Amino acid sequence: MSDLVERYRPLFYPRGIVIPGVSTHPGKFGFAALHNLLCHGFTGELFPVNRDGSTVLDRSTFRDITAIPAGRADLAFICTPAAANLDVLRACAQIGVRAAFVVSGGYAEAGADGAAAEHELARVAKELGILLAGPNGQGLISTGAQMCAQIVPPYPPPGRISAVSQSGNILSSFMNYGELTGVGFSKGISAGNAAAVGIADYLEYFAADPDTTVGLAYLEGVRDGRDLVQRATAFTRRKPLVVLKGGTTGFGQRAASSHTGALASDERVFDGVARQAGMRRTATVEEAYEVAATFATQPLPRGKRVVVLTAAGGWGVLCADACVRAGLDLIQLPEDLRAKIDSVLPARWSRNNPVDMAGGETRETIPELLDCIAGHDGVDAVIYLGLGIQAAQAHVLKSSPFYPGHGIDRIAEFHERQDRRYAEAATAASARHNKPVLCATELVYTDRAYGNSAPLAVAATGRICYPSAHRAVNALAHLCAYAAFRRAHEVD
């Protein structure tokens, strides 16, 4: 284990957690923190601290931190007011705590006096040898330790994304998408005011962390631009890094200053250095999450030669436009691939790219086409559109007053089974040929009532089902751009 990974181990994989400021009131941060740690099954020991020694959530509490046996806890999750926190840190150090997350606000975001208090908090933590996260943050999660040390609810499934955010609510948004799609996180932390440990520090750790495949960062201001660029550049030589930047307008910059006390950076300068460092910059929360989830679950393409397979013409037309605008190469079908498709589809298929099946698919057609297209040497990636149509018809049939008679039950079951097979075939073709195969259908969102088997099957394979061709194209374009960046810098 490297020194860097070991330094952050108490923060993300603690053996025990002290929680100063635990409250009996279910609306208080200290109550929520203990509740969330208990509910998500933290694997280590918990030491709640309440000044009255009250029982909270059927747990006895400690009146005094120094009464906790030394060496049993190495992380403190501090929910006490700012004025108490220096003494809390000193008491935690006496029992062997090596990392602390400070939830409390009232520091640099509150003005000059708060900034002075924050400076003193960081100084004391450094003097005590405590890794200080926050203050003014909502918490952190580490799925490898089943740790939800947060004052808010999102706790995503385990995965390979690790996120750091200057906004706790943006971090929650990322993790809510993880809960929705099933593509999960390894770690997530709200950096808060980042008095001692900042965005660049967390990224450096994520780059070394063996449980992280892709980094995801939301930031509003940059205090040391040169340092961020250097460490982000080192990161992107090893792993993809997806960035969402807030405070890109005058109004946004003023809001960022009052939010975390961060100093805004010049938008054009940041855009340039992000591109130079190989960061994948995104514009919205949903785009940032989708791109990170795509990096976490799809292989990198060798190039940008794309074939679109579609069950209907209109989707293919819009997808073709999106591919061109994104700079992807919508290739002319090679003759041998065209001949293969000829042998599978009736003569009315589009005979071009997008491959419009024009309703000519039979039971085995789509799995066979996905495999032969993805397996062709002249193709780097596949986008598959039209998933879920048969399952949607199955829902109509099963809602009918004639169901289950007249053979409707059998055909409905067949339709649902076929769409599951198509989703599984897309993932299988991607894995077999080590190429991205992205599935898109609006039914992933428009069908929340009955559970269309197609997007559910995509999720069951551990991948994102994109709600539109445009979003699939955008995610693929990020994959292609990062793959090109690695080739340009001769990174294996």
Side-chain angles (χ1 to χ4, degrees), residues 151 330 381:
I151 56 175
L330 199 67

Side-chain angles (χ1 to χ4, degrees), residues 169-195:
N169 286 319
I170 299 296
L171 178 66
S172 292
S173 297
F174 290 151
M175 295 194 294
N176 280 329
Y177 277 109
E179 288 191 334
L180 175 70
T181 66
V183 177
F185 287 72
S186 173
K187 299 166 185 70
I189 187 163
S190 161
N193 292 2

Side-chain angles (χ1 to χ4, degrees), residues 205-289:
Y205 165 68
F206 291 158
D209 174 30
D211 298 327
T212 298
T213 296
V214 54
L216 173 59
Y218 170 74
L219 52 91
E220 294 178 351
V222 179
R223 291 175 181 167
D224 186 342
R226 185 181 300 275
D227 179 60
L228 176 66
V229 170
Q230 288 176 345
R231 289 200 260 186
T233 300
F235 189 108
T236 57
R237 297 303 196 273
R238 304 175 69 172
K239 304 171 183 178
L241 173 58
V242 180
V243 174
L244 176 62
K245 173 76 167 62
T248 59
T249 66
F251 285 102
Q253 289 167 3
R254 286 193 290 276
S257 178
S258 63
H259 179 207
T260 61
L263 298 175
S265 59
D266 184 274
E267 166 67 2
R268 288 172 299 180
V269 172
F270 182 82
D271 198 50
V273 297
R275 192 180 312 111
Q276 186 178 359
M279 294 184 262
R280 299 311 310 160
R281 192 171 177 194
T282 53
T284 64
V285 169
E286 60 268 28
E287 183 191 10
Y289 172 77

Side-chain angles (χ1 to χ4, degrees), residues 75-89:
L75 171 63
F77 191 78
I78 299 174
C79 301
T80 44
N85 286 344
L86 293 180
D87 289 340
V88 167
L89 277 183

Side-chain angles (χ1 to χ4, degrees), residues 406-426:
H406 311 277
I408 291 176
D409 56 339
R410 294 192 302 276
I411 194 66
E413 182 184 346
F414 172 78
H415 284 328
E416 290 175 338
R417 187 170 63 247
Q418 282 297 92
D419 261 324
R420 281 194 295 272
R421 288 186 65 230
Y422 300 159
E424 291 163 357

Side-chain angles (χ1 to χ4, degrees), residues 9-88:
R9 188 199 54 73
L11 186 61
F12 289 107
Y13 298 96
R15 70 173 69 93
I17 305 175
V18 182
I19 313 157
V22 163
S23 172
T24 56
H25 192 301
K28 298 289 188 180
F29 289 167
F31 183 97
L34 177 61
H35 177 272
N36 291 345
L37 281 163
L38 288 170
C39 282
H40 294 289
F42 173 61
T43 54
E45 292 187 276
L46 296 176
F47 301 95
V49 180
N50 174 276
R51 63 183 178 181
D52 299 322
S54 303
T55 297
V56 182
L57 291 168
D58 301 327
R59 288 257 180 155
S60 57
T61 62
F62 292 84
R63 291 176 184 272
D64 191 330
I65 294 169
T66 56
I68 297 170
R72 299 269 293 275
D74 44 6
L75 171 63
F77 191 78
I78 299 174
C79 301
T80 44
N85 286 344
L86 293 180
D87 289 340
V88 167

